Amino acid sequence: MSAVTEPAPISDAEAERYLQSLIGPIGEDVTTLVELGAVRRMALAIGDLDPIHFDEAATRARGHRGVVAPWPLLWLYFFTCTIYEHDFPFGKATVHGQDEYELHEPMVVGDHITIRTAMVDAKLKHGKTGRLGQVVSERRFTNQRGELCAVLRTTLFRR
Amino acid sequence: MSVATTITAAQGAVFDDVEVGQDIPSVVKGPMTTAHIMRWSAAMENWHRIHYDWQYATGNDGLPDVLVNGSWKQHVVIQLVADWVGDTGWAWKIAFQFRGMNIPGDTLTAWGRVTDKEERGRWGLVDLEIGLRNQKGEESTPGTARVVLPRRGGPPVPYPFDPAALDAP
Amino acid sequence: MSAEVSEPPDYITPAVRAIIGAEAPPIEAPHAVEASEVRRFHQALMDASPRFWDPEAAARYGGPVAPIGFPVHAMRRMEDAPDPLDALQAGDHDGVDRRLRPGLPEVQVPLQRLVNGGYAYELFRYAHPGERIRLRSRYVDIYQRNGRTGPMIFVVIEDTYETVRGEPLLRSTNTIILR
């Protein structure tokens, strides 16, 4: 077996420059339809059997515009509508660190949700285990009426 | 290796050109991985453990590995026939049995051979023997199909398909 | 080894014979066919036919369609049904529902092993996004054959899939073998 030569690690300054270059919009805005089947599937998967996720009449009675999407449905759109992988020129593994939610107008079945993605923060840290890249991406979910439904900030660590 | 896919040609087979004994173009999928099996199980919401729990599949059920879903394989043989008849014929009847297991690593080839043909009304009926073989040639999903094809210069096959239309004057 | 072979009992009792022809109440899919569902299915099937997304390629069918065999997967878990994953907590449960079809009476035969003997499909029409699918199931036949490995009960179920407006989509004849 021949030895695999690893590329020389890049310097801290180069890593910082790379991280800075990530800041800004990621991809184009994407618009997606909130579908009843997707809402039901998510509600059943998380065991949230509140009738507002299944039944039109129940939702109207509670003052909603339509069948309400459980908030974790944001993750369906995260994975199917946005770019979520980054190709870091340093480190070995990317791990999902934490998430922060802002929840506003509920998403309901029939809504057209537009998702705008941006990298809002990226920095290099030095921890006990060595060099650590920390990037924060933000996804803003807006409905067809221009109402902000949610903001999802996701922190990834590169180590 | 990338996973093989097939683009359907709008123009499908024409009855006059079909010969008994001829092979139809095969459809190849794979090599299959656990990810392919998981993707299908998730799409159809199938919780059968033998498709995702290796320990259960091999320990409890004594299987060689997790199994490729029979429900997925049936669509591959259906696609084989639907691709051949294209958007001009109709895959009327398809029957198959689940006779063998397929596991991750298998590359699956759906194949078909014409066994009979006859004119029917203004169209033609063609019977096929079909199946799904792995890279070792082992058959897992043998079956038969009957399709309706247009004749050269004849009218299009009616859609939505109604078998009664075949015998209409 | 004894050469004596005893004739197995006749499992097709009057009670079993009485359910031949029994029809289940029609079941409607909990939601209409959805574009994202069509995408997940044709991608999982690795069937790249443009009739699943391109209105031009799907002109013959009146617009994009779901895979032709899709209706058999359209009946999903209802919100008031028990969680199928709860059964997995029981340890060695394999995750399979033993009821042959919801709404059809149980086949009262003391044979536990279930083998899927295959399907015969008759195809009529593609389902489109926006259409809700309905299923009607019935026992077409139940009969016994005594083979070298013992008795086998063949249960033949016809599943008719149609739109809720009554347009035929697909008819499936499924043979299930209990042994």
Side-chain angles (χ1 to χ4, degrees):
Chain A
M1 262 175 53
S2 65
V4 178
T5 0
E6 290 206 13
I10 65 171
S11 71
D12 279 2
E14 281 170 312
E16 296 226 31
R17 259 201 305 282
Y18 170 78
L19 289 170
Q20 278 310 304
S21 76
L22 295 178
I23 305 252
I26 301 175
E28 310 256 301
D29 288 4
V30 179
T31 298
T32 187
L33 175 66
V34 179
E35 297 170 315
L36 178 60
V39 166
R40 291 177 51 91
R41 205 167 59 247
M42 178 58 80
L44 289 169
I46 62 176
D48 180 349
L49 300 180
D50 188 330
I52 62 167
H53 304 313
F54 301 94
D55 179 34
E56 184 83 29
T59 63
R60 303 269 180 211
R62 303 243 301 259
H64 293 288
R65 293 182 291 121
V67 176
V68 176
W71 285 115
L73 201 67
L74 294 172
W75 288 100
L76 175 69
Y77 305 136
F78 177 102
F79 284 110
T80 57
C81 299
T82 75
I83 298 162
Y84 55 91
E85 281 175 313
H86 307 286
D87 197 14
F88 294 95
F90 63 90
K92 285 193 166 64
T94 306
V95 294
H96 187 173
Q98 62 176 42
D99 301 300
E100 193 184 298
Y101 299 84
E102 263 180 47
L103 305 175
H104 301 280
E105 172 66 19
M107 304 187 293
V108 304
V109 169
D111 274 357
H112 286 87
I113 301 292
T114 297
I115 304 144
R116 173 165 296 181
T117 308
M119 189 67 81
V120 293
D121 194 21
K123 50 178 168 267
L124 196 67
K125 293 180 151 188
H126 294 275
K128 262 182 273 173
T129 54
R131 194 156 71 167
L132 190 73
Q134 177 187 303
V135 299
V136 182
S137 59
E138 179 184 274
R139 286 162 181 83
R140 301 178 74 82
F141 299 79
T142 308
N143 68 18
Q144 70 285 357
R145 306 177 348 155
E147 295 160 325
L148 182 65
C149 294
V151 183
L152 170 58
R153 286 184 203 92
T154 302
T155 303
L156 299 182
F157 294 112
R158 178 68 179 182
R159 60 179 189 208
Chain B
M1 278 253 297
S2 70
V3 168
T5 56
T6 317
I7 302 289
T8 301
Q11 174 63 55
V14 174
F15 181 75
D16 311 54
D17 301 337
V18 174
E19 283 172 34
V20 172
Q22 95 177 68
D23 291 321
I24 69 170
S26 54
V27 166
V28 182
K29 311 275 184 187
M32 298 298 290
T33 68
T34 51
H36 292 93
I37 298 171
M38 181 193 75
R39 181 168 63 179
W40 174 249
S41 295
M44 69 174 295
E45 297 168 34
N46 175 334
W47 311 113
H48 198 171
R49 278 179 146 176
I50 57 168
H51 300 305
Y52 57 85
D53 186 337
W54 183 86
Q55 214 155 8
Y56 182 90
T58 58
N60 211 78
D61 278 19
L63 298 168
D65 202 330
V66 293
L67 299 188
V68 176
N69 311 62
S71 55
W72 180 87
K73 295 193 284 188
Q74 71 178 28
H75 287 277
V76 181
V77 296
I78 293 172
Q79 188 198 331
L80 165 87
V81 180
D83 280 2
W84 186 56
V85 302
D87 293 322
T88 46
W90 188 250
W92 176 16
K93 293 180 178 182
I94 298 177
F96 47 84
Q97 297 185 331
F98 299 126
R99 290 279 188 82
M101 299 184 285
N102 293 108
I103 59 174
D106 277 0
T107 295
L108 300 169
T109 301
W111 61 273
R113 180 170 298 151
V114 174
T115 55
D116 202 2
K117 63 177 281 188
E118 63 170 291
E119 293 180 8
R120 178 85 170 265
R122 291 178 286 163
W123 299 278
L125 295 182
V126 174
D127 288 339
L128 300 155
E129 186 189 355
I130 56 175
L132 190 66
R133 288 193 189 115
N134 68 7
Q135 66 284 1
K136 296 179 209 155
E138 295 160 337
E139 180 57 57
S140 74
T141 320
T144 57
R146 166 166 286 191
V147 305
V148 187
L149 296 181
R151 278 147 65 175
R152 179 156 295 112
V157 174
Y159 180 87
F161 181 69
D162 177 2
L166 292 176
D167 302 314
Chain C
M1 262 174 48
S2 162
E4 193 89 358
V5 178
S6 61
E7 188 70 15
D10 182 2
Y11 289 109
I12 310 299
T13 60
V16 170
R17 196 165 292 121
I19 65 170
I20 297 174
E23 192 160 329
I27 302 175
E28 279 184 20
H31 59 85
V33 181
E34 298 182 332
S36 72
E37 196 175 30
V38 170
R39 175 187 58 76
R40 275 186 301 130
F41 271 78
H42 83 73
Q43 287 180 347
L45 295 172
M46 296 174 269
D47 183 345
S49 165
R51 69 173 71 106
F52 303 131
W53 68 85
D54 180 355
E56 221 164 286
R60 180 199 193 193
Y61 313 108
V65 294
I68 188 73
F70 174 82
V72 305
H73 309 297
M75 305 301 147
R76 308 307 180 90
R77 177 185 161 205
M78 300 303 289
E79 54 270 29
D80 54 1
D83 187 338
L85 300 193
D86 286 348
L88 294 179
Q89 309 301 324
D92 62 356
H93 187 272
D94 61 5
V96 178
D97 190 341
R98 283 283 176 273
R99 291 174 310 163
L100 298 181
R101 292 295 184 281
L104 279 183
E106 203 182 316
V107 181
Q108 304 274 2
V109 168
L111 298 172
Q112 289 307 305
R113 232 186 116 212
L114 187 152
V115 179
N116 190 334
Y119 293 87
Y121 287 153
E122 204 177 344
L123 309 173
F124 306 113
R125 177 183 175 281
Y126 284 97
H128 294 274
E131 290 181 329
R132 194 173 283 223
I133 295 172
R134 181 166 61 203
L135 164 64
R136 291 182 293 119
S137 301
R138 67 185 186 100
Y139 289 124
V140 178
D141 202 2
I142 304 173
Y143 58 92
Q144 179 171 348
R145 290 280 181 272
N146 297 320
R148 273 171 303 151
T149 55
M152 295 182 286
I153 306 300
F154 291 76
V155 182
V156 184
I157 301 175
E158 182 185 85
D159 296 306
T160 302
Y161 296 88
E162 57 192 14
T163 67
V164 291
R165 297 193 308 182
E167 295 144 308
L169 296 170
L170 180 163
R171 188 184 301 128
S172 155
T173 306
N174 179 203
T175 304
I176 291 164
I177 304 157
L178 303 170
R179 53 196 297 183

